[in-house]
Structure formats: structure tokens, C-alpha cells
Amino acid sequence: MTILFASDIHGSAGACRALLSRREAEGAQTLILLGDLLYHGPRNPVPSDYDPKAVAAMLNGVKERILCVRGNCDAEVDQMLLEFPALADYAMLWLDDHRAFLTHGHVFGPEHLPPLSPGDLLLSGHTHLPTNREKDGICLLNPGSVTFPKGGMPPTYLLYEDGRFSHRTLSGAEIKVE
């Protein structure tokens, strides 16, 4: 099974288009979105290709493949445009033998862990920084941001394939992160 994790689209039609192209190229059956889909947010600049209606339409085109959690920039009014649930604060699933807690990261995150056990996974966005590290035996993963990457990083996503996570740029190149 191949799963693509992404976060922080923030209404950028170009980033969303590139992300969906990568999902197809990677053969990902599932797209897990970790919040901040349509609105740029009060602390971010407006993306040059800001078009939340177009982003909603593109995501709705693959709605049967999406699992999504709400970010701090997502609101109930956004759900009116989206044809898939996008307002849950978190979700949990099993990836092989690991329990995975999915959230945006503004409530639960690396500095405020949800109730997890060693060997579990915490997948969150929010910081716009790709992450792959361990804390108290819990694997902390962040796909980074496809629109507003920070820390000098390029736009990134996270791919889960054959029991392995890898961070990738929107061109598909694998990158090493900590």
C-alpha cells in the first residue's frame, strides 16, 4: 500500500495541482491531508496562485481517496466547498503494526503529545518543517508544507510505501530530514 501525506496547502492551486500529480505518479491509493487546506491564514502571505475554490474542486475530484483532519486555518465554512470530511481534529489508523495518530499539530504535536505508547506514530503538519525523529519512543513525522515551506526547505510531502516513510519534494526527489 502506498499512502501520500501532505499538509498546509493554504489555498495554493499550483501546489495542490503539483501534489495531486505526485499522488498519481507515486501510485498512492490514499491521500492523507493534515490540515490547512483552503485558507492562507493570517500569518502567511497570500499565495500568488491563491484560489481556494479551485483547490476544493481539485481535491473533490479525488474525494474517495482522501482522509483529512482539520488544521488551525480550516473552518466550518470550508466544509461547504469540500465533498469529504475535513473537520475532525484527529484520526487514528494502523500502518502495518503501528498505531498512527493523525492531527494538524496546533493542539497535539511534538511538544504536546497525545496519549501514545512507544512504537506509535504521530503524524502532524502545522510547523511547515519536514520532520522524522523520535521522542519517548514515539516516531514524530511531519510532511512539511507544499505551499509555505520553512527552514530553507523546498515544498515537501511524505510517502509511505512498503513499510517505509520517505520525504519527497514536489518533483519527486527523496530528501533526508531529521
Side-chain angles (χ1 to χ4, degrees):
M1 167 179 30
T2 303
I3 302 172
L4 193 151
F5 294 84
S7 188
D8 299 284
I9 298 170
H10 288 290
S12 169
C16 186
R17 191 174 299 106
L19 176 66
L20 294 179
S21 177
R22 290 308 315 155
R23 184 201 67 82
E24 192 170 312
E26 299 284 9
Q29 295 87 358
T30 303
L31 174 60
I32 296 181
L33 298 173
L34 299 174
D36 286 0
L37 306 180
L38 303 181
Y39 179 52
H40 61 86
R43 294 183 298 183
N44 297 315
V46 178
S48 61
D49 58 349
Y50 185 63
D51 190 347
K53 286 183 182 179
V55 170
M58 284 185 267
L59 294 176
N60 288 339
V62 293
K63 64 186 172 192
E64 68 283 351
R65 302 220 178 259
I66 292 178
L67 173 62
C68 183
V69 295
R70 175 190 354 215
N72 60 309
C73 293
D74 298 322
E76 288 184 32
V77 70
D78 299 336
Q79 187 66 73
M80 295 171 66
L81 293 177
L82 299 169
E83 298 172 2
F84 54 90
L87 294 179
D89 290 326
Y90 68 91
M92 294 185 74
L93 58 91
W94 286 94
L95 291 176
D96 296 320
D97 295 331
H98 300 281
R99 184 171 59 147
F101 189 98
L102 313 173
T103 190
H104 181 62
H106 62 292
V107 176
F108 288 112
E111 303 311 316
H112 182 234
L113 294 174
L116 296 172
S117 300
D120 289 343
L121 309 169
L122 173 65
L123 288 114
S124 62
H126 187 59
T127 64
H128 300 215
L129 291 166
T131 305
N132 183 351
R133 64 184 175 93
E134 188 176 299
K135 179 179 180 182
D136 300 329
I138 298 165
C139 182
L140 308 174
L141 293 154
N142 186 320
S145 172
V146 296
T147 300
F148 296 124
K150 292 186 178 175
M153 297 299 295
T156 55
Y157 62 92
L158 184 64
L159 194 69
Y160 181 76
E161 186 173 38
D162 298 325
R164 179 181 172 269
F165 286 99
S166 61
H167 283 86
R168 309 274 175 105
T169 67
L170 284 179
S171 65
E174 186 171 348
I175 60 169
K176 181 88 171 146
V177 301
E178 296 179 11

